[in-house]
Amino acid sequence: MASSKRVRTAVFPVAGLGTRFLPATKALPKEMLTVVDRPLIQYAVDEAREAGIEHFVFVTGRNKGVIEDHFDRQFELETTLESRGKTAALDELRKDLPSAGRTSFTRQQEPLGLGHAVWCARHIVGSEPFALLLPDMLFKGEPGVLKQMMDAYEETGGNVIAVEEVPEKEVSSYGVIARGDGPDGGFQVTGMVEKPKREDAPSNLIISGRYILQPEIFNLLADQPKGAGGEIQLTDAMQTLMKSQSFTGVKYRGQSFDCGSKIGFLTANVVYALDRDDIRDGFLQELRKLDLDGALEVPGK
């Protein structure tokens, strides 16, 4: 078993161009697109904080400065809210902020893939295990997906990846794992392959955008040749690491939304809006106004 040091640091790759959401992402980072009233990156940070993460590392690129601003204090705004007695809004702003000294930002100066983005965080992470969260993937679970993975990590050590089932016809779009022994909450991963043909896929369990990785991954990424799409692929490095370290899969409890796609993003907005006591009823009324032909059925009421 690999080292089971406590996981204190999380890495967030936020340098992507967001081409699937142009023109919205021409000037606005895709990670700042909002689901209801919170940007995607905030949901990922909240998930990490719930899991006990203490240090938040953002791998950014050009035109991403607003992400750094989001996790900084806005004194003019705070002063205005305070003077107007809007304490609820002020409390909401302050509770979202990591405390001083707990955020770090580094640049991925070229779009060379997820593996390269992770490698860019090596000096900040150091020689400790770390969590990796892809902000495009929004997870709704209780507890959060990373907390479920942390629980498995405490039992197994090594490397942990979140997985979910997809229809077999869709496996060619994802990284797919081979499942070994163990329960859904923590089973042995015996292999993984990136975007296999349907007939070659070892299962219908896909890697879902949440990882706990040991620091040895950095040395492998440093020498990793370019893979699919001419990019440095994290999956390729994990396949090599699997030869010397254990990988545990967690089939998480919850629902995922691929907010890198328009359909996933819009679906997430509907689901999260319907989960909000303060806007649920009003939102349902508006949805029903749109349902002129009775074709739209909204669950829950």
Side-chain angles (χ1 to χ4, degrees):
M1 181 182 296
S3 167
S4 56
K5 288 183 179 178
R6 183 168 168 238
V7 180
R8 301 182 303 153
T9 301
V11 174
F12 304 86
V14 293
L17 298 176
T19 54
R20 289 187 288 177
F21 270 92
L22 288 170
T25 49
K26 179 180 178 181
L28 177 72
K30 63 178 179 176
E31 297 82 11
M32 292 300 294
L33 294 172
T34 56
V35 171
V36 187
D37 55 5
R38 301 171 73 77
L40 286 170
I41 188 61
Q42 185 67 60
Y43 286 100
V45 167
D46 290 346
E47 181 186 335
R49 188 183 303 168
E50 178 199 14
I53 293 298
E54 300 173 4
H55 189 188
F56 307 87
V57 180
F58 301 88
V59 182
T60 71
R62 285 176 290 280
N63 300 319
K64 300 282 185 168
V66 68
I67 296 175
E68 188 167 352
D69 291 340
H70 177 73
F71 290 105
D72 198 358
R73 295 193 61 180
Q74 299 283 349
F75 289 102
E76 182 177 311
L77 175 59
E78 292 179 21
T79 300
T80 301
L81 291 173
E82 193 167 19
S83 67
R84 295 178 180 177
K86 296 187 176 183
T87 55
L90 185 59
D91 291 344
E92 186 73 17
L93 280 179
R94 288 175 172 170
K95 79 178 180 62
D96 287 344
L97 291 180
S99 57
R102 293 198 171 187
T103 57
S104 296
F105 296 83
T106 188
R107 283 289 188 107
Q108 183 188 20
Q109 293 162 327
E110 297 180 79
L112 296 178
L114 176 59
H116 182 257
V118 173
W119 179 79
C120 288
R122 66 198 182 283
H123 292 309
I124 301 174
V125 174
S127 59
E128 296 189 355
F130 63 99
L132 173 65
L133 298 89
L134 308 190
D136 281 2
M137 294 301 300
L138 176 58
F139 292 91
K140 189 173 180 58
E142 191 63 42
V145 170
L146 187 60
K147 178 63 170 65
Q148 296 177 41
M149 295 169 65
M150 288 286 203
D151 292 342
Y153 175 79
E154 290 177 3
E155 297 291 329
T156 65
N159 304 272
V160 183
I161 52 178
V163 303
E164 64 178 273
E165 284 188 280
V166 298
E168 291 184 359
K169 64 182 181 181
E170 297 179 10
V171 293
S172 60
S173 299
Y174 302 97
V176 181
I177 62 100
R179 178 171 180 165
D181 296 333
D184 284 351
F187 56 85
Q188 181 185 12
V189 176
T190 58
M192 61 183 72
V193 59
E194 185 69 24
K195 297 181 179 179
K197 294 180 180 179
R198 177 176 178 176
E199 59 270 21
D200 297 330
S203 73
N204 67 333
L205 293 172
I206 65 166
I207 302 171
S208 298
R210 296 293 186 269
Y211 312 76
I212 295 172
L213 298 170
Q214 295 298 320
E216 287 77 13
I217 195 75
F218 292 124
N219 291 332
L220 297 175
L221 289 170
D223 299 321
Q224 184 68 47
K226 293 180 180 179
E231 297 181 338
I232 298 173
Q233 297 290 342
L234 179 64
T235 303
D236 294 342
M238 290 196 300
Q239 288 174 320
T240 303
L241 188 59
M242 187 179 293
K243 297 175 183 177
S244 59
Q245 293 186 3
S246 66
F247 273 74
T248 298
V250 173
K251 186 180 175 185
Y252 65 86
R253 305 179 303 279
Q255 187 176 6
S256 70
F257 305 91
D258 178 6
C259 291
S261 74
K262 295 181 180 69
I263 297 299
F265 176 72
L266 293 170
T267 303
N269 269 280
V270 172
V271 171
Y272 275 77
L274 292 175
D275 197 44
R276 287 271 296 266
D277 291 338
D278 59 332
I279 60 175
R280 173 185 169 86
D281 290 344
F283 186 48
L284 278 170
Q285 290 177 13
E286 294 302 316
L287 288 176
R288 289 185 175 121
K289 289 178 184 177
L290 298 175
D291 186 21
L292 300 178
D293 299 322
L296 176 64
E297 294 185 4
V298 181
K301 285 211 171 183

